[in-house]
Amino acid sequence: MHLRCSLAAQLPKRLSSATPCNAALLCRSSSPRASLTAFRLQRAAAATLPMSLRTTASIASRSSGLQKPVLPVVALTEAERTSHLANLPGWKYLTDGKRDDAIAKSFSFEDFNEAFAFMTRVAAHAEKMDHHPEWFNLYDKVDITLSTHDCNGISIRDIELAKLIDSEAARGKVSSVV
Ligand SMILES: C[C@H](O)[C@H](O)[C@H]1CNC2=NC(N)=NC(=O)C2=N1
């Protein structure tokens, strides 16, 4: 709160309605449209701030407990999904009727330690993004399914998380990707 107030005092008047902090407040709204507006406002407002204030704004909104990095929660169109998946080798779109509208990939590591260490690294990203995988671990194997409950489909959050998952798998001792 203190940081938020001191930041506001340093901002020029014209920015008073478009600060990252105000955008963070908007993020509390549950409507996807408001969330998208907040996301754009946050980005636009942050871009207008000098670097030193950007950092302060980010700390301020984090310390207020309102803001986690916000990516829009809107279901991708079929064309968008197909084009994103083309850049995500091994990720499959599930259409088996058991679990529609999700993407999935299976990883196989050298042993349980490697598998669990990978899951721990992914869990840290998931918490930071406020976006969580469904997963199943059996010894050295980790099966991961991603979808966005908030929009009942696949959103850009799933794509971003899938990229992070792939980069964390690459850091571990992978024996194969199924
Ligand atoms: C309240 C909280 O922000 C939401 O429930 C988040 C948490 N993690 C989530 N994870 C996933 N995979 N989908 C969501 O829609 C989602 N929503």
Side-chain angles (χ1 to χ4, degrees):
M1 196 43 137
H2 167 71
L3 272 171
R4 228 168 57 210
C5 295
S6 61
L7 171 66
Q10 294 174 62
L11 291 172
K13 270 255 162 5
R14 70 190 162 77
L15 283 178
S16 59
S17 64
T19 68
C21 296
N22 283 352
L25 280 170
L26 244 181
C27 288
R28 278 208 287 196
S29 163
S30 55
S31 114
R33 197 174 177 78
S35 159
L36 185 56
T37 307
F39 173 72
R40 289 191 177 135
L41 184 57
Q42 222 171 343
R43 237 189 1 201
T48 64
L49 295 176
M51 218 22 141
S52 59
L53 280 183
R54 275 185 223 181
T55 309
T56 314
S58 151
I59 294 167
S61 49
R62 254 184 280 145
S63 72
S64 72
L66 295 176
Q67 188 203 12
K68 292 197 175 185
V70 179
L71 290 172
V73 189
V74 178
L76 298 178
T77 63
E78 190 182 336
E80 288 167 338
R81 186 191 71 229
T82 308
S83 102
H84 283 299
L85 282 183
N87 299 316
L88 286 170
W91 286 92
K92 293 185 181 70
Y93 176 57
L94 298 186
T95 49
D96 59 8
K98 284 185 219 146
R99 185 70 174 76
D100 280 340
D101 254 338
I103 56 174
K105 184 168 175 177
S106 297
F107 298 87
S108 194
F109 294 88
E110 203 169 81
D111 54 24
F112 175 73
N113 272 344
E114 282 296 324
F116 202 82
F118 159 75
M119 292 174 80
T120 305
R121 294 193 299 274
V122 170
H125 288 297
E127 257 308 274
K128 219 163 163 184
M129 292 175 70
D130 193 28
H131 197 65
H132 303 88
E134 290 169 44
W135 49 16
F136 174 79
N137 164 236
L138 180 60
Y139 184 56
D140 58 347
K141 296 199 171 43
V142 184
D143 301 332
I144 302 184
T145 303
L146 301 177
S147 70
T148 304
H149 328 137
D150 291 346
C151 69
N152 237 336
I154 297 163
S155 74
I156 193 70
R157 291 187 184 192
D158 299 303
I159 303 300
E160 292 306 319
L161 186 54
K163 287 181 193 163
L164 289 167
I165 288 171
D166 280 349
S167 67
E168 290 303 345
R171 288 180 58 198
K173 290 179 188 140
V174 182
S175 81
S176 66
V177 175
V178 188

